[in-house]
C-alpha cells in the first residue's frame, strides 16, 4: 500500500496553518503554537520545520516575534516538494527508482528479468508528476469544494512472460 508517513501529514498540516496565517497578514508562528493548535508532538514538529526550512519551503526568524512563515506563496509549494523534504522522493518501490531506463540497477538482483520493473518505473514517474501538480494551495482550496487536478494519463501495465 502506498502511503505517506505521519511526518509528511504533520508537515502538510503545519504548512497549511502557516499559509492561512500568511493569508490573514499574521506574524510568523512558533512550532509550539502550531503543535498546540493541532495537538502535534512539539519535538517532532520542530524537526519537521527544520527539514522544511532546509528545503526552502519555510523561513525562520529568531526572537520574540520570531517563528516560521512560508518561504514562498502556497501556490508555489508542491506536495512533491514537501514529501521529498520529509521522506525523500515518493515512489511505490525502492527498486531502481533513481535509475534511468536502460541503466543497470545495482540494488536488485532480478531487475534484468523482472516482469514489472519498466511498469513500476513508469508508475513512479507518474506519481511524482502528479504530486508536482498538486500545490499547498490546491489542498487548502479543497476545504472549500476545490478539486485535485486530474491525472493526465493512465499507465498500462503489461507483464512480460
Amino acid at each position: 500500500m502506498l502511503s505517506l508517513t505521519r511526518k509528511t501529514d504533520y508537515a502538510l498540516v503545519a504548512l497549511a496553518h502557516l499559509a492561512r496565517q500568511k493569508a490573514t497578514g499574521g506574524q510568523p508562528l512558533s512550532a509550539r503554537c502550531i503543535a498546540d493548535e493541532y495537538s502535534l508532538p512539539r519535538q517532532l514538529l520542530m524537526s519537521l520545520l527544520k527539514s522544511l526550512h532546509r528545503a526552502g519551503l519555510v523561513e525562520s526568524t529568531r526572537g520574540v516575534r520570531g517563528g516560521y512563515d512560508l518561504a514562498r506563496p502556497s501556490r508555489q509549494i508542491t506536495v512533491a516538494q514537501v514529501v521529498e523534504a520529509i521522506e525523500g522522493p515518493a515512489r511505490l518501490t525502492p527498486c531502481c527508482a533513481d535509475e534511468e531506463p536502460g541503466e543497470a540497477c545495482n540494488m536488485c538482483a532480478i531487475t534484468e528479468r523482472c516482469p514489472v520493473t519498466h511498469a513500476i518505473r513508469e508508475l513512479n514517474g507518474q506519481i511524482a508528476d502528479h504530486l508536482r501538480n498538486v500545490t499547498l494551495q490546491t489542498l487548502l482550496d479543497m476545504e472549500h469544494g476545490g478539486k485535485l487536478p486530474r491525472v493526465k494519463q493512465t499507465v498500462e501495465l503489461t507483464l512480460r512472460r
Side-chain angles (χ1 to χ4, degrees):
M1 178 169 126
L2 175 66
S3 66
L4 301 176
T5 67
R6 183 76 60 193
K7 290 178 179 181
T8 299
D9 182 33
Y10 291 167
L12 288 167
V13 167
L15 289 168
H17 192 73
L18 291 173
R20 286 182 180 157
Q21 182 74 1
K22 191 169 200 148
T24 61
Q27 298 295 314
L29 296 172
S30 69
R32 172 182 277 186
C33 176
I34 298 168
D36 289 350
E37 177 73 22
Y38 299 99
S39 301
L40 303 177
R42 277 188 205 152
Q43 287 301 108
L44 176 57
L45 186 61
M46 288 171 58
S47 174
L48 297 172
L49 287 166
K50 287 178 186 175
S51 295
L52 294 170
H53 181 262
R54 280 191 299 272
L57 301 177
V58 298
E59 298 173 330
S60 67
T61 308
R62 293 183 183 266
V64 176
R65 298 220 184 257
Y68 290 92
D69 202 354
L70 294 182
R72 54 184 178 256
S74 57
R75 292 192 187 290
Q76 295 177 10
I77 297 174
T78 68
V79 173
Q81 292 168 327
V82 178
V83 170
E84 190 153 335
I86 303 302
E87 302 186 41
R91 53 183 164 231
L92 290 175
T93 63
C95 69
C96 304
D98 298 328
E99 305 291 331
E100 292 296 321
E103 285 186 24
C105 175
N106 298 322
M107 188 177 211
C108 181
I110 67 166
T111 298
E112 291 185 21
R113 63 184 186 282
C114 179
V116 295
T117 296
H118 177 71
I120 294 298
R121 283 184 183 174
E122 179 70 25
L123 194 52
N124 281 338
Q126 287 195 14
I127 290 169
D129 287 345
H130 186 63
L131 293 178
R132 282 190 286 270
N133 287 315
V134 178
T135 67
L136 179 58
Q137 188 61 50
T138 305
L139 298 180
L140 292 168
D141 290 346
M142 289 181 69
E143 187 174 21
H144 304 289
K147 304 257 188 227
L148 282 175
R150 305 229 1 118
V151 177
K152 291 181 177 68
Q153 59 181 345
T154 59
V155 176
E156 183 178 319
L157 298 176
T158 47
L159 302 178
R160 288 182 265 146
R161 291 184 183 202

